Amino acid sequence: MTDEDRRARRRGQGELEAQVLAELRNAAGPVTAGWVRERIGGALAYTTVVTILSRLHAKQSVTRERAGRSFVWTPADEAGLAALRMRKVLDGEPDRGAVLASFVTALSPDDERLLRTLLDGAEAETGD
């Protein structure tokens, strides 16, 4: 294989993570790294798949559970991932109030009602 062939086969940043997540979402339940490796195909090393899964775990994109001497992996739910991305954006801004105000004013009336209902429910649970 020439250097040019290797460069052509090289995946873009995040592409392999996206492939791993897609396979996890297609799974019927928790799966092993070996299962993921088989589905992705190619000459990908088992250790590479474990590294990708570990990185996704550090990003809270997947969960893992001990199964013997290894782990089984499950994708995080989509709503949880979206909420995590929203929190990261909010945490990265110096004026949280301005960001939240801008977000709320851009909501549709239906989304605003839903948000009010959720906030009211959260207050009722905490007794505030």
Side-chain angles (χ1 to χ4, degrees):
M1 179 179 286
T2 68
D3 286 340
E4 187 175 324
D5 291 336
R6 280 190 204 96
R7 281 192 297 274
R9 289 175 30 99
R10 193 169 280 201
R11 291 175 176 90
Q13 186 175 7
E15 185 179 340
L16 188 53
E17 286 183 0
Q19 287 178 316
V20 168
L21 276 173
E23 292 303 333
L24 288 174
R25 288 188 186 109
N26 289 331
V31 295
T32 64
W35 184 93
V36 172
R37 181 176 176 255
E38 287 175 12
R39 296 314 180 284
I40 291 176
L44 208 55
Y46 175 83
T47 54
T48 300
V49 174
V50 171
T51 298
I52 295 299
L53 287 165
S54 297
R55 287 180 182 164
L56 289 168
H57 183 258
K59 295 177 182 180
Q60 299 176 340
S61 297
V62 300
T63 59
R64 67 182 182 192
E65 189 175 312
R66 185 64 76 179
R69 294 182 352 183
S70 62
F71 294 100
V72 289
W73 305 84
T74 307
D77 68 287
E78 290 295 320
L81 287 174
L84 178 62
R85 287 191 298 271
M86 292 167 64
R87 280 193 305 275
K88 284 182 179 179
V89 168
L90 187 60
D91 289 346
E93 295 297 323
D95 190 348
R96 295 172 75 89
V99 172
L100 288 170
S102 179
F103 176 76
V104 170
T105 58
L107 291 174
S108 70
D110 288 341
D111 285 343
E112 186 177 340
R113 278 190 293 281
L114 176 58
L115 181 58
R116 286 185 190 282
T117 300
L118 293 170
L119 289 172
D120 289 345
E123 285 179 2
E125 286 180 18
T126 61
D128 290 340

